[in-house]
């Protein structure tokens, strides 16, 4: 059976910023979708990240520092629950859909280290897999298409509804539905065994990073470095 006709688990974060080493989780969602795309199980979290949420981040996801402090769960306990939920789904063999996986999975990994709880990798004994990343796959199957590749743009291109962008639950659901559409449209990817698909994305993500790095070195910064690792950026010692 192809992965496009099976269940999917999707994961998404909203955060204080874009640096996986220093920024914090504000909201998170893990959802399970059946083969028809209906949500059959979900867990969501609002965290008190322990730091002020920058105004530019609040403007995107709508969570203020005051709201997070009043209503959010303690970060350490919530991150333990998030890591456990993600690991449990992967342990059962359900593919994990994450838009721009190297960001969300790496930031979760650093939060686990920050609060001294077991990471997803430590719980599984390996890098999280199988992971399906709509961003990496879309760049691979439709390399020369013009325009943005953000989730809202992918949803528009593949005909998937996204009614509440930058809400972790809504984004997770949309990511799973859009990647299933990609698999249906691009059959070589949609029919690929999950192990092969994961390995393809490791190679594709590295190639995409090297291409972007070369472009930046030509046009902006001769010393630009773009991380090639996927789906998890290795920890700095």
């Amino acid at each position: 059976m192809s992965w496009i006709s099976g269940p999917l688990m999707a994961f998404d974060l909203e955060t204080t910023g874009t640096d996986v080493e220093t920024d914090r989780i504000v909201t998170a969602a893990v959802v399970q979708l059946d083969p028809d795309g209906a949500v059959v199980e979900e867990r969501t979290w609002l965290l008190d990240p322990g730091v002020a949420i920058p105004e530019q981040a609040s403007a995107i996801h709508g969570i203020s520092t005051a709201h997070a402090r009043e209503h959010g769960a303690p970060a350490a306990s919530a991150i333990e629950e998030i890591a456990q939920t993600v690991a449990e789904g992967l342990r059962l063999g359900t593919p994990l859909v994450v838009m721009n996986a190297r960001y969300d999975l790496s930031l979760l990994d650093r939060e686990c280290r920050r609060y001294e709880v077991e990471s997803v990798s430590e719980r599984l004994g390996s890098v999280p897999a199988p992971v399906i990343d709509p961003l990496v796959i879309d760049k691979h199957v439709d390399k020369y298409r013009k325009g943005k590749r953000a989730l809202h743009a992918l949803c528009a291109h593949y005909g998937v509804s996204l009614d509440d962008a930058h809400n972790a639950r809504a984004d997770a659901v949309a990511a799973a539905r859009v990647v299933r559409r990609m698999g249906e449209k691009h059959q070589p990817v949609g029919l690929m065994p999950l192990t092969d698909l994961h390995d393809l994305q490791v190679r594709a993500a590295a190639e995409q990073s090297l291409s972007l790095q070369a472009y930046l070195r030509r046009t902006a910064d001769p010393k630009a470095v773009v991380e090639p690792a996927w789906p998890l950026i290795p920890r700095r010692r």
Side-chain angles (χ1 to χ4, degrees):
M1 181 180 71
S2 167
W3 62 267
I4 60 175
S5 57
L8 295 173
M9 174 173 63
F11 169 57
D12 189 76
L13 299 176
E14 296 298 327
T15 65
T16 60
T18 59
D19 188 330
V20 300
E21 302 296 341
T22 61
D23 280 305
R24 310 295 181 90
I25 297 171
V26 178
T27 62
V30 178
V31 298
Q32 300 275 352
L33 286 82
D34 69 14
D36 294 325
V39 176
V40 294
E41 188 175 343
E42 62 182 88
R43 292 197 66 181
T44 60
W45 295 264
L46 168 65
L47 284 66
D48 175 359
V51 299
I53 301 171
E55 290 184 5
Q56 57 267 39
S58 294
I60 293 171
H61 52 60
I63 307 297
S64 67
T65 301
H67 182 83
R69 287 176 177 168
E70 182 177 357
H71 301 287
S77 59
I79 288 160
E80 163 69 32
E81 292 176 3
I82 296 164
Q84 180 178 344
T85 302
V86 171
E88 284 178 352
L90 287 171
R91 197 176 289 118
L92 293 171
T94 309
L96 177 66
V97 178
V98 194
M99 177 72 181
N100 193 14
R102 64 159 59 98
Y103 172 74
D104 288 56
L105 290 178
S106 298
L107 197 148
L108 175 59
D109 178 83
R110 303 318 191 261
E111 287 276 57
C112 289
R113 177 170 62 179
R114 181 173 291 117
Y115 292 102
E116 299 183 338
V117 302
E118 275 195 317
S119 69
V120 175
S121 296
E122 289 166 338
R123 293 165 197 264
L124 296 173
S126 64
V127 172
V131 175
I132 307 177
D133 187 336
L135 180 62
V136 173
I137 291 177
D138 184 63
K139 288 182 177 180
H140 176 72
V141 299
D142 204 353
K143 183 177 180 180
Y144 298 108
R145 189 178 78 249
K146 302 293 185 181
K148 296 181 178 180
R149 307 274 183 156
L151 181 60
H152 68 87
L154 296 186
C155 287
H157 181 72
Y158 288 97
V160 171
S161 176
L162 176 56
D163 298 325
D164 193 11
H166 301 296
N167 170 287
R169 181 195 181 276
D171 285 359
V173 172
R177 289 173 177 167
V178 82
V179 86
R180 203 190 300 268
R181 290 279 180 89
M182 287 181 194
E184 292 167 351
K185 181 175 180 179
H186 302 282
Q187 284 293 300
V189 167
L191 298 176
M192 192 174 289
L194 282 167
T195 300
D196 294 347
L197 179 59
H198 185 95
D199 292 344
L200 169 67
Q201 291 171 94
V202 172
R203 298 191 301 271
E207 292 168 2
Q208 292 160 14
S209 294
L210 288 174
S211 176
L212 176 57
Q213 178 176 285
Y215 172 77
L216 292 175
R217 288 184 175 184
R218 289 195 311 270
T219 61
D221 179 2
K223 297 182 179 180
V225 175
V226 179
E227 174 60 54
W230 179 95
L232 185 67
I233 299 171
R235 292 181 179 183
R236 298 172 184 171
R237 297 286 180 184

